[in-house]
Amino acid sequence: MSFYKGDVVDQALAKALTTVDEKEKAALYKIAQDEIRKDLPRVPLVTDQNLSAHSKHLSGVHVMPDANIDATAVYINELSYLPG
């Protein structure tokens, strides 16, 4: 969890990393998990404005929410626009 900060969580995880007692380690991880659930950290699900174009002659190209382009199923629908 990038940039997440919680004193109880940080202390529990730090202590869990130093103990060899499996029961204590499990109890500390449970404390950390319970605190994280209680805090309900959120990740923003937004991206910058994406720019894309379309054509009636092309299909199978998808602009993903992260602005990557999935062109694994590209299909040219008709070739009437090509000269010749």
Side-chain angles (χ1 to χ4, degrees):
M1 284 177 273
S2 182
F3 305 110
Y4 175 78
K5 172 110 176 80
D7 292 337
V8 173
V9 173
D10 293 345
Q11 291 170 6
L13 292 177
K15 193 167 181 184
L17 290 173
T18 62
T19 186
V20 293
D21 183 322
E22 292 298 319
K23 287 183 181 180
E24 182 182 10
K25 189 181 293 279
L28 291 165
Y29 283 135
K30 181 168 181 356
I31 290 169
Q33 289 174 340
D34 290 345
E35 284 296 311
I36 290 169
R37 258 190 233 106
K38 191 168 67 175
D39 288 346
L40 292 175
R42 292 180 278 148
V43 176
L45 298 176
V46 297
T47 60
D48 293 329
Q49 183 178 5
N50 295 334
L51 177 64
S52 62
H54 66 277
S55 168
K56 65 180 180 181
H57 303 291
L58 190 64
S59 63
V61 179
H62 303 280
V63 179
M64 308 304 284
D66 63 358
N68 283 320
I69 297 175
D70 177 7
T72 56
V74 173
Y75 179 76
I76 298 173
N77 297 325
E78 53 186 83
L79 299 176
S80 62
Y81 65 95
L82 294 176

